[in-house]
Amino acid sequence: MVPQDTRKKGIRPRHAHVGKIVHPQDAKNVLDTGVNLWFPGPQSFTGEDMLEFHVHGGNAVVSSILNALSTVPGVRMAEAGEFSRRAFDNDKMDLTTLEGVSDLINAETEAQRKLAVRQAHGELFRMYEGWRVKMVQLRAQIEAYIDFSEDENIEDGVYTQVCLEAKKLADAIRAHLNDKRQGEILRNGVALSIVGPPNSGKSTLLNKLAQRQVAIVSPIAGTTRDIVETTLDIGGYPLVVRDTAGLRKASSDVIEMEGIRRAVEAAQEADIRICMVDAQQALDCTNKPSDSFLQNAEWQALLDLPHTFVVLSKIDTLKSTDGIQAAAQAWAQSQRINNRIVPISCANMFGWESLMQLLADDIRTAWGTSIAQQMPLTKTRHRQHLQQCLEHLDSFESIGEDMVVLGAEELRGASRALGRITGKVGIEDVLDALFSEFCIGK
């Protein structure tokens, strides 16, 4: 099935050809006019012969072309991820590159896109493959030492030199693992938990951040009982925001108490926390019911965690916002709060830009800066195999020269662990799971 105007002249590889696309069973049936590109293997995405049709995107056009292609013997629809699977099978890309392509397809923010592009372009592969090749070289030296240790051609100190090189590799892998999970956090989203007493504006803040009604807003205390979650883009970074049950000391409702327990747990596990306090209650010297939130030791401990901010909400309910920042700081000092205080109003957007800038700057500083310098870990799978590799290297270091055969086996295990990351060994189950996430064909 080729353009009508190229039947008499050959299609030049990797050149665009414009022409009529006709039905393979009926040359008079013109399906569309489009651009066609011929990629003979192995210089193609999959390493096999490929022909691309660039056609108009209407449903009827696409459907007619797909139906026409189905009449060609041996032609069928590709399965999910099949093109990438074939590219992997033909050594056009490794497993980390494939994972990068998958992440690129699913990227929702600029930071995720940049991270995925770097991985899809082989940055992780070059690092891991470099380590694996070095490991193979060390294995070769150890194997030679075992077989020819009494031969005069083997230099003195070979085993000692291998141990030094293995330690350098272990130190590099250990430093790579010690990244505070920055890559995984950016890939999956920075977790932000909104906590505070009932009716402090938590659900309203979540809805305002999401720009839609995600959580129910009600003056009745205890409305939010389970964790409500939504994903946002803040300054190009993915942010997973969780609204939680209002924190109060006692409740006869067993379900609400379970919600409070989950709220504290979610806040402890989050990367960033926003502690909401009603500004009118906090700044009114005669009425401070919100302060009970700060008097609970377990909840107070949340304020001591890094990346925790206190938001004074409902500023619009105050008689005046003049000097509000100074008043907020004075209140914080009286409560022995050292966190950054941000007065806001979700009704008139007072302080909104300050809060958004604070969140974006905190995420960029904590998770974005170091990633720009070195490609981080992005998958739990990578971390697990690297830890296994490190265990083998540490075991090798503890083995003496008299047990060199066992040392060789540890190096073999270390190189196998690295090979599983890039797809050199034993990854069939990983491939099946990965390609199931791809869109049809890709």
Side-chain angles (χ1 to χ4, degrees):
M1 182 174 170
V2 297
Q4 195 176 48
D5 63 350
T6 58
R7 290 190 171 190
K8 295 181 180 179
K9 58 181 180 179
I11 299 179
R12 297 168 61 192
R14 289 171 292 282
H15 282 72
H17 297 267
V18 179
K20 295 178 180 178
I21 300 174
V22 301
H23 197 287
Q25 306 297 329
D26 182 6
K28 295 181 179 180
N29 184 4
V30 178
L31 305 176
D32 192 16
T33 299
V35 176
N36 307 270
L37 291 162
W38 166 242
F39 297 96
Q43 302 300 321
S44 68
F45 179 80
T46 63
E48 303 170 346
D49 292 345
M50 293 182 64
L51 177 63
E52 292 185 359
F53 293 93
H54 296 251
V55 300
H56 294 96
N59 291 335
V61 173
V62 174
S63 178
S64 66
I65 291 177
L66 290 177
N67 289 334
L69 286 171
S70 67
T71 65
V72 178
V75 175
R76 62 170 174 80
M77 289 287 289
E79 297 177 0
E82 186 170 356
F83 281 92
S84 295
R85 179 68 178 258
R86 292 189 178 210
F88 175 81
D89 290 339
N90 292 321
D91 292 325
K92 300 296 289 186
M93 59 177 69
D94 76 296
L95 191 53
T96 62
T97 303
L98 281 173
E99 290 170 330
V101 172
S102 177
D103 289 346
L104 186 58
I105 292 171
N106 296 311
E108 296 180 348
T109 69
E110 183 65 8
Q112 289 175 321
R113 183 196 65 79
K114 288 181 178 179
L115 198 62
V117 165
R118 291 172 63 184
Q119 185 169 337
H121 286 181
E123 195 167 331
L124 271 185
F125 169 74
R126 287 189 291 273
M127 181 191 301
Y128 296 154
E129 185 63 8
W131 289 342
R132 193 189 69 84
V133 169
K134 184 64 177 178
M135 206 92 64
V136 170
Q137 293 172 349
L138 295 181
R139 280 178 52 197
Q141 293 179 47
I142 287 294
E143 297 289 352
Y145 179 80
I146 293 172
D147 294 338
F148 309 105
S149 58
E150 298 180 359
D151 195 310
E152 294 181 357
N153 293 327
I154 297 296
E155 299 178 1
D156 294 336
V158 170
Y159 188 83
T160 301
Q161 185 61 34
V162 169
C163 289
L164 290 174
E165 293 298 325
K167 187 178 185 306
K168 289 181 182 178
L169 273 176
D171 290 342
I173 294 172
R174 193 172 283 109
H176 186 55
L177 284 168
N178 188 27
D179 66 344
K180 300 179 181 178
R181 300 185 179 271
Q182 293 176 331
E184 292 162 86
I185 288 173
L186 268 191
R187 178 181 176 273
N188 299 319
V190 179
L192 183 150
S193 185
I194 306 174
V195 295
N199 293 335
S200 57
K202 300 183 300 299
S203 297
T204 301
L205 176 62
L206 176 67
N207 291 340
K208 187 63 68 172
L209 285 169
Q211 297 183 352
R212 59 189 177 89
Q213 292 295 315
V214 177
I216 298 173
V217 177
S218 168
I220 302 173
T223 301
T224 302
R225 300 188 174 199
D226 206 347
I227 297 173
V228 181
E229 181 179 292
T230 188
T231 302
L232 311 173
D233 182 340
I234 301 293
Y237 294 91
L239 191 67
V240 181
V241 185
R242 299 184 176 101
D243 178 23
T244 61
L247 305 183
R248 53 179 173 175
K249 290 184 177 180
S251 172
S252 59
D253 192 323
V254 177
I255 297 177
E256 184 184 358
M257 292 306 296
E258 173 62 18
I260 292 173
R261 187 196 66 79
R262 294 186 183 186
V264 174
E265 184 179 80
Q268 292 170 339
E269 295 175 352
D271 304 307
I272 301 176
R273 284 150 293 278
I274 289 181
C275 292
M276 302 282 291
V277 178
D278 187 316
Q280 188 175 46
Q281 295 176 350
L283 302 180
D284 185 347
C285 296
T286 62
N287 181 22
K288 295 185 177 180
S290 288
D291 288 358
S292 61
F293 158 68
L294 302 173
Q295 292 165 4
N296 183 293
E298 184 179 20
W299 304 341
Q300 173 70 36
L302 297 177
L303 295 175
D304 297 330
L305 295 173
H307 311 290
T308 302
F309 309 102
V310 175
V311 169
L312 289 180
S313 61
K314 306 181 184 180
I315 295 299
D316 56 288
T317 62
L318 299 179
K319 294 179 180 179
S320 173
T321 57
D322 294 339
I324 183 61
Q325 194 64 51
Q329 292 300 328
W331 169 79
Q333 291 177 4
S334 70
Q335 299 295 321
R336 296 191 177 96
I337 296 175
N338 298 317
N339 308 69
R340 178 76 177 270
I341 309 296
V342 185
I344 71 164
S345 167
C346 292
N348 60 25
M349 305 303 287
F350 179 94
W352 190 256
E353 290 186 7
S354 298
L355 178 59
M356 293 300 98
Q357 191 62 51
L358 177 64
L359 292 175
D361 291 346
D362 188 63
I363 296 172
R364 185 182 303 108
T365 302
W367 294 282
T369 305
S370 61
I371 283 178
Q373 301 170 355
Q374 183 181 14
M375 183 69 193
L377 280 162
T378 57
K379 294 274 191 179
T380 301
R381 184 183 71 83
H382 301 174
R383 186 176 298 278
Q384 291 171 344
H385 290 315
L386 286 172
Q387 288 171 339
Q388 292 171 4
C389 176
L390 199 56
E391 289 172 3
H392 285 295
L393 289 176
D394 289 341
S395 296
F396 171 77
E397 189 177 351
S398 66
I399 294 174
E401 189 170 354
D402 56 329
M403 303 290 285
V404 64
V405 175
L406 293 179
E409 186 60 33
E410 293 296 343
L411 285 182
R412 190 174 295 112
S415 62
R416 277 201 302 266
L418 281 177
R420 290 189 184 96
I421 299 178
T422 58
K424 297 295 182 181
V425 290
I427 41 76
E428 193 65 28
D429 55 340
V430 178
L431 288 176
D432 291 340
L434 173 63
F435 292 124
S436 67
E437 298 175 359
F438 277 67
C439 57
I440 298 300
K442 182 62 178 176

